Amino acid sequence: MMKLFEAISIICLLVVVTEAANNGVARTPPLGWMSWERFRCNTDCVTYPDSCISEKLIMQMADHMAADGYKDVGYEYICIDDCWPLKTRGADGRLVPDPARFPSGMKALADYVHSKGLKIGIYTDFGHSTCGGYPGSEFYLETDANTFAEWEMDMLKLDVCFSSSADFKYGFPAMEFYLNRTGRQFVFSCEWDWGMGDGANYTHMAEFCNLWRVAHDMEDYWDNVQLVIDVYANNSRNFSDFTGPGAWADADSVIVGLYGLSADQERAHFGMWSMFASPLLLGADLRSIKNESKALLQNKNILAINQDPLGRQATLKMKLAQNKIYVFLKGLTGGRTAIALFNSDYHGQPVRATFMLNQLGLTNGNGYSFTDGFTGMARGKYMPATEINIDVNPTGIDIFIATPV
Ligand SMILES: *[C@@H]1O[C@H](CO)[C@@H](O)[C@H](O)[C@H]1NC(C)=O
Ligand SMILES: *[C@@H]1O[C@H](CO)[C@@H](O)[C@H](O)[C@H]1NC(C)=O
Ligand SMILES: *[C@@H]1O[C@H](CO)[C@@H](O)[C@H](O)[C@H]1NC(C)=O
Ligand SMILES: *[C@@H]1O[C@H](CO)[C@@H](O)[C@H](O)[C@H]1NC(C)=O
Ligand SMILES: *[C@@H]1O[C@H](CO)[C@@H](O)[C@H](O)[C@H]1NC(C)=O
């Protein structure tokens, strides 16, 4: 429960604060890295000196992001997820980074990340404790906003473990207000929607949050990727309509380069997250990632689909081949359309997609020139009523950019 005066002050704030999605940041989906997917809540730096949540880990990821080509293609945010503080707040009520794991302190860590030309994100929880059992921000929203601003953080993920969903519509706007009042720009990532099942009001959320999760947590196996794609295919309550510059539905971390996916599945996962205009927060260990996975993550053609300034989220247009092939469309600048043919089938042979562009609503009289979404290579010219046949690998994808001629 919130303190009464906080609830009252929030009611006043709602009149003043109109648009967090107008806070000037995340005009395209944020690109970066986040600690959770691979490093979880590992705090044992004695047994696991190279993979515990620590300043050393964060600095190494920043080093690799800056030096290995990621920064050059637009990756920017290095985000610390749960399990960074001590289990109790300091005497002044502030969160305290675990001094054994963050001996230099958070401001010094932010300075280091900034010195690489990158930005840094931090995590807290709206409830009385975080999912990992660390102190939550309930009753401390203002203190924590001020602390994160003093540390010069650039992004905040606000989780919802151990909180009441009835408070979200007051609490998330309150945190946005306190962040705004620090004068420091934050990308504000809310677990508001996820915490409420189907209950959240997207209009309200998009006013106060730059990112909101729409599906379950990503885990390192294919079925999980398929399930998230199905959530976007369903597009329940048309959640795609609320995505745009400054306000993004978040499909959760990118697991390319972890353990669970084949090369085709990595392509399908990364291709679809890009079509969805989801933030792309990488989960892999950048120190040891496979070359193929790294090349995919740095594919400029696919990243351009994700980062297209219109900020549209792909929606399902139709299913083909006994519902095995999902056809998603994403409107791009210049009147172009990205067409994804995602094959949800896992039997060991490619599935043929047969369609005409006019079935997709692409009816330009002079037809369309196609380029491959991954390679950028020309892939022919098609009239609206020409039959197109494409064989798509099992749990794989093909993406084409159709440009009106
Ligand atoms: C604070 O909110 C106002 C009003 O929406 C906005 O113009 C301003 O850019 C915000 N400032 C920051 C630092 O986010
Ligand atoms: C959703 O939020 C918007 C903006 O805050 C508000 O105008 C609208 O009434 C809300 N809708 C519902 C169904 O609560
Ligand atoms: C898609 O929507 C249907 C009908 O509302 C529902 O039964 C199903 O669980 C949904 N699937 C996902 C993955 O959201
Ligand atoms: C979703 O959008 C479609 C097409 O614009 C519309 O027909 C439908 O009523 C919308 N559904 C909801 C729940 O808003
Ligand atoms: C990966 O790429 C690096 C740098 O281009 C190269 O030195 C290395 O041999 C490659 N590794 C494999 C397994 O291909």
Side-chain angles (χ1 to χ4, degrees):
M1 299 296 281
M2 277 189 298
K3 279 184 280 192
L4 184 58
F5 81 83
E6 197 167 72
I8 290 167
S9 66
I10 289 156
I11 289 162
C12 307
L13 304 182
L14 290 176
V15 182
V16 186
V17 183
T18 49
E19 287 235 342
N22 249 347
N23 58 3
V25 293
R27 304 311 291 172
T28 59
L31 305 179
W33 178 90
M34 185 166 262
S35 61
W36 182 258
E37 198 58 49
R38 169 65 182 79
F39 298 101
R40 303 278 149 166
C41 193
N42 183 347
T43 56
D44 180 356
C45 294
V46 176
T47 314
Y48 304 100
D50 295 325
S51 52
C52 63
I53 302 299
S54 68
E55 66 180 33
K56 182 178 126 185
L57 179 74
I58 300 303
M59 289 162 81
Q60 288 181 346
M61 291 306 151
D63 292 346
H64 283 271
M65 187 141 281
D68 296 353
Y70 298 96
K71 182 180 160 217
D72 298 337
V73 295
Y75 291 95
E76 191 176 16
Y77 289 90
I78 300 282
C79 303
I80 309 166
D81 206 279
D82 202 353
C83 308
W84 58 267
L86 286 178
K87 289 258 166 122
T88 52
R89 288 177 179 266
D92 57 0
R94 295 201 165 204
L95 292 167
V96 182
D98 185 333
R101 296 181 289 124
F102 294 88
S104 311
M106 286 298 178
K107 172 65 168 67
L109 183 55
D111 288 346
Y112 183 85
V113 172
H114 291 150
S115 77
K116 299 272 162 183
L118 300 170
K119 294 189 165 139
I120 182 165
I122 198 151
Y123 168 103
T124 187
D125 188 289
F126 180 58
H128 64 75
S129 69
T130 72
C131 305
Y134 292 82
S137 291
E138 191 172 33
F139 308 134
Y140 292 93
L141 296 179
E142 182 174 15
T143 302
D144 292 348
N146 290 339
T147 303
F148 299 147
E150 280 168 29
W151 289 344
E152 299 189 7
M153 295 289 151
D154 306 296
M155 188 190 294
L156 175 66
K157 173 176 171 181
L158 188 60
D159 214 338
V160 292
C161 286
F162 306 108
S163 64
S164 161
S165 61
D167 293 339
F168 292 174
K169 64 177 179 235
Y170 309 110
F172 282 94
M175 191 53 156
E176 193 282 327
F177 172 80
Y178 292 126
L179 290 172
N180 179 278
R181 214 168 54 170
T182 68
R184 186 166 179 86
Q185 286 187 315
F186 282 86
V187 174
F188 186 31
S189 167
C190 307
E191 306 296 286
W192 183 345
D193 183 37
W194 180 227
M196 293 191 71
D198 252 357
N201 175 341
Y202 287 112
T203 309
H204 196 198
M205 237 176 359
E207 281 177 24
F208 295 98
C209 303
N210 297 114
L211 320 179
W212 55 87
R213 284 274 307 286
V214 288
H216 45 276
D217 285 356
M218 278 296 285
E219 304 296 350
D220 194 15
Y221 67 111
W222 172 253
D223 289 1
N224 205 290
V225 177
Q226 172 75 58
L227 213 52
V228 174
I229 293 172
D230 280 327
V231 168
Y232 278 80
N234 258 10
N235 198 17
S236 124
R237 297 187 293 134
N238 293 337
F239 72 83
S240 59
D241 292 352
F242 300 88
T243 282
W248 308 103
D250 179 358
D252 203 14
S253 293
V254 170
I255 60 168
V256 170
L258 273 93
Y259 306 97
L261 303 185
S262 71
D264 269 302
Q265 292 170 344
E266 290 200 337
R267 247 173 71 104
H269 162 42
F270 196 61
M272 283 316 308
W273 264 231
S274 295
M275 290 288 291
F276 295 147
S278 174
L280 301 174
L281 297 176
L282 310 183
D285 185 343
L286 304 180
R287 298 167 301 190
S288 58
I289 189 168
K290 297 189 289 281
N291 285 354
E292 306 76 32
S293 299
K294 182 169 129 190
L296 176 62
L297 295 173
Q298 296 185 7
N299 184 314
K300 287 184 189 166
N301 299 307
I302 289 295
L303 289 170
I305 295 173
N306 175 264
Q307 294 287 299
D308 185 84
L310 283 186
R312 298 257 168 83
Q313 176 181 313
T315 52
L316 182 71
K317 187 68 186 179
M318 55 168 41
K319 290 185 180 178
L320 300 171
Q322 291 85 47
N323 297 328
K324 290 173 181 158
I325 305 271
Y326 297 30
V327 185
F328 283 96
L329 302 186
K330 181 185 198 293
L332 303 175
T333 43
R336 297 168 305 141
T337 304
I339 305 170
L341 305 172
F342 163 68
N343 182 2
S344 63
D345 191 49
Y346 42 76
H347 294 101
Q349 65 178 355
V351 171
R352 174 153 295 192
T354 301
F355 61 99
M356 292 180 293
L357 291 174
N358 58 20
Q359 293 174 292
L360 307 181
L362 299 177
T363 56
N364 183 46
N366 291 329
Y368 296 83
S369 63
F370 269 33
T371 54
D372 188 290
F374 287 89
T375 65
M377 309 257 286
R379 293 290 297 266
K381 188 188 155 190
Y382 298 95
M383 298 306 284
T386 310
E387 185 180 283
I388 303 176
N389 291 291
I390 312 271
D391 293 337
V392 189
N393 289 354
T395 59
I397 198 168
D398 276 298
I399 298 179
F400 302 96
I401 310 288
T403 305
V405 175

